[in-house]
């Protein structure tokens, strides 16, 4: 479980790692993640599970639906871990 401040670059790298087709550096904070070719309902579950594993928190379906960009996801996770 992650403790302390979340580095944005590491957050992005961890997010990218959940996708088989993404190359490192393809995602930025401005990326609208639902526009990624691999995004699906299954992929959303993988991302939610990765946040649980990496940061020890639960991202609700409502929070995921409210987020548009990777920066939105980062803000939710950072707020939950106390950044």
């Amino acid at each position: 479980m992650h403790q302390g401040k979340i580095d944005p670059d590491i957050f992005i790298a961890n997010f990218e790692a959940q996708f088989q087709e993404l190359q490192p550096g393809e995602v930025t904070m401005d990326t609208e993640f639902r526009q990624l070719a691999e995004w699906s309902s299954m992929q959303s579950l993988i991302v939610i599970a990765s946040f649980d594993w990496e940061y020890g928190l639960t991202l609700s379906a409502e929070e995921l639906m409210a987020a548009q960009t990777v920066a939105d996801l980062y803000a939710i996770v950072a707020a939950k871990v106390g950044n």
Side-chain angles (χ1 to χ4, degrees):
M1 179 184 351
H2 183 86
Q3 295 181 354
K5 185 166 175 57
I6 299 173
D7 181 286
D9 293 330
I10 293 173
F11 181 85
I12 288 172
N14 289 340
F15 181 83
E16 285 176 329
Q18 306 313 309
F19 295 82
Q20 292 182 5
E21 301 296 321
L22 287 180
Q23 298 300 315
E26 280 190 60
V27 171
T28 69
M29 284 292 188
D30 294 327
T31 298
E32 294 183 6
F33 57 89
R34 285 188 197 83
Q35 302 305 315
L36 296 170
E38 286 184 76
W39 190 257
S40 65
S41 58
M42 180 60 78
Q43 192 63 44
S44 68
L45 294 174
I46 291 168
V47 168
I48 288 171
S50 75
F51 289 166
D52 181 36
W53 173 260
E54 185 66 34
Y55 304 108
L57 59 85
T58 301
L59 181 72
S60 71
E62 292 79 20
E63 289 169 321
L64 185 63
M65 291 298 294
Q68 298 297 315
T69 65
V70 174
D72 295 338
L73 293 175
Y74 176 81
I76 293 166
V77 171
K80 287 187 173 210
V81 298
N83 270 4

